[in-house]
């Protein structure tokens, strides 16, 4: 997981993270049908961040396949 952007202001928290998957198959399992599972994961993380910071949270999660394949990072 790479945290690409994280900003806290007096009103909100903005977080953008990218998840690198070892294979396209794993990426599709995480994403789920119509990105439904990824949305559930994102919502769960966002709710935890709202509880932690007591602010409005904007969270963007993206999935990508490791271009070097399964063994290399």
């Amino acid at each position: 997981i790479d945290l690409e952007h994280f900003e806290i202001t007096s009103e909100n928290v903005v977080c953008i993270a990218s998840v690198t998957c070892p294979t396209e198959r794993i990426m599709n399992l995480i994403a789920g049908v119509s990105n439904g599972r990824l949305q559930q994961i994102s919502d769960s993380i966002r709710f935890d961040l709202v509880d932690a910071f007591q602010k409005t949270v904007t969270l963007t999660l993206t999935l990508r396949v490791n271009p070097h394949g399964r063994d290399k990072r």
Side-chain angles (χ1 to χ4, degrees):
I1 297 174
D2 293 317
L3 185 59
E4 296 180 5
H5 179 79
F6 187 79
E7 179 181 358
I8 301 175
T9 67
S10 59
E11 293 102 27
N12 61 14
V13 176
V14 177
C15 181
I16 301 172
S18 176
V19 179
T20 303
C21 302
T23 65
E24 189 169 344
R25 179 181 160 277
I26 298 297
M27 184 180 76
N28 290 334
L29 286 171
I30 293 170
V33 177
S34 299
N35 283 330
R37 183 167 298 153
L38 182 61
Q39 186 61 50
Q40 289 174 340
I41 294 167
S42 180
D43 288 345
S44 176
I45 293 168
R46 188 172 54 79
F47 291 139
D48 287 345
L49 290 172
V50 167
D51 284 343
F53 292 104
Q54 297 297 306
K55 298 178 185 231
T56 302
V57 174
T58 302
L59 174 67
T60 303
L61 289 178
T62 58
L63 297 176
R64 62 180 171 201
V65 175
N66 185 346
H68 301 293
R70 178 170 235 170
D71 296 328
K72 299 179 184 175
R73 292 185 183 241

